[in-house]
């Protein structure tokens, strides 16, 4: 059963949950097809990419969109860019004064003045694949002493409540998913993402599983891989890694 990406998603609000992504996947196993948002005031074991903990206090936004068979397997990795654009759209709508300071960092972060203000974690399982698109936004609080400096909307001088931000996010996600159209509209998604990308055309440092590399951030390709122009002039496509501005310790 395919999710109708143009249909308004239902919403399940929770006061407390271990993880909105985990709850979405549990509901899918129980027969829920979505599209369905899971929104919690607080998470006990929120998580980010590569198993990292995601601090999830009351006051921030913790939400997951559950989708069933959102796209063919080849187009599924594009979903992260769709979600990132929707997140950027929502942040701009909620805090227009910060527009010029907001940027997207490959592959899944929203930054404000170079500091992480939101992140995305997409998990999938089953056949057809169920995608749990998890989005965490620092509205009132942010962690200290993180590898990439963090911030929150309140610290940036803007009053953005989690409930208001979620309303913008749900609306923006519906629009972006419809335009993406299960991968058929990725060219437009890709162009829009690049126009908001941090470090495009500039030197960056990329930490891979087995090494680090430096080069100029040239573009993202049709598979969503970061294309790095190395010192030798060769183009290297990176499917997974952590990006840092050149000169910042990785």
């Amino acid at each position: 059963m395919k999710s109708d990406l143009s249909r308004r998603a239902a919403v399940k609000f929770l006061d407390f949950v271990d993880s909105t992504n985990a709850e979405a996947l549990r509901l899918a196993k129980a027969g829920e097809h979505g599209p369905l948002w899971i929104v919690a005031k607080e998470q006990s074991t929120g998580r980010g990419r590569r198993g990292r903990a995601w601090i999830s206090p009351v006051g921030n936004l913790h939400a997951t969109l559950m989708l069933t068979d959102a796209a063919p397997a080849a187009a599924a990795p594009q979903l992260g860019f769709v979600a990132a654009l929707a997140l950027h759209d929502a942040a701009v709508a909620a805090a227009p004064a910060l527009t010029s300071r907001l940027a997207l960092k490959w592959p899944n972060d929203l930054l404000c003045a170079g500091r992480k203000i939101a992140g995305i974690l997409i998990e999938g399982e089953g056949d057809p694949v169920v995608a749990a698109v998890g989005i965490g936004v620092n509205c009132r609080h942010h962690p200290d002493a993180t590898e990439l400096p963090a911030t929150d909307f309140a610290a940036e001088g803007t009053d953005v409540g989690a409930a208001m931000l979620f309303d913008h996010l749900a609306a923006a996600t519906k629009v972006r998913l419809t335009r993406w159209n299960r991968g058929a509209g990725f060219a437009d998604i890709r162009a829009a993402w690049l126009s908001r990308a941090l470090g495009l055309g500039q030197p960056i440092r990329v930490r891979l599983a087995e090494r680090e590399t430096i080069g100029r951030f040239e573009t993202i390709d049709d598979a969503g891989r970061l294309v790095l122009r190395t010192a030798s002039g060769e183009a290297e496509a990176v499917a997974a890694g952590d990006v840092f501005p050149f000169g910042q310790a990785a």
Side-chain angles (χ1 to χ4, degrees), residues 161-196:
M164 183 213 11
L165 183 60
F166 172 70
D167 288 342
H168 287 301
L169 178 62
T173 300
K174 179 177 179 293
V175 171
R176 290 295 183 181
L177 283 171
T178 301
R179 292 177 180 173
W180 178 53
N181 190 23
R182 293 174 52 83
F186 184 61
D188 289 341
I189 293 294
R190 175 178 172 272
W193 189 94
L194 285 168
S195 73
R196 296 157 174 80

Side-chain angles (χ1 to χ4, degrees), residues 1-4 7 9-10 31-37 66-68:
M1 177 178 179
K2 294 180 180 179
S3 295
D4 180 357
R7 180 162 60 89
E32 174 63 56
H33 291 286
L36 173 69
W37 282 102
M66 190 268 277
L67 299 168
T68 301

Side-chain angles (χ1 to χ4, degrees), residues 111-144:
L111 305 189
C112 181
R115 296 176 175 267
K116 184 169 179 174
I117 200 167
I120 298 169
L121 174 66
I122 299 181
E123 298 178 293
E125 60 183 42
D127 184 18
V129 174
V130 174
V133 184
I135 299 174
V137 186
N138 299 334
C139 295
R140 308 283 191 214
H141 315 281
H142 68 270
D144 297 320

Side-chain angles (χ1 to χ4, degrees), residues 3 5 63 85 153 242 245:
S3 295
L5 301 184
L85 275 176
F153 280 108
D242 292 311

Side-chain angles (χ1 to χ4, degrees), residues 179-216:
R179 292 177 180 173
W180 178 53
N181 190 23
R182 293 174 52 83
F186 184 61
D188 289 341
I189 293 294
R190 175 178 172 272
W193 189 94
L194 285 168
S195 73
R196 296 157 174 80
L198 178 76
L200 186 65
Q202 299 174 8
I204 58 172
R205 183 187 300 271
V206 183
R207 184 173 59 200
L208 309 174
E210 70 288 352
R211 62 186 174 92
E212 293 180 4
T213 186
I214 296 171
R216 182 169 56 85

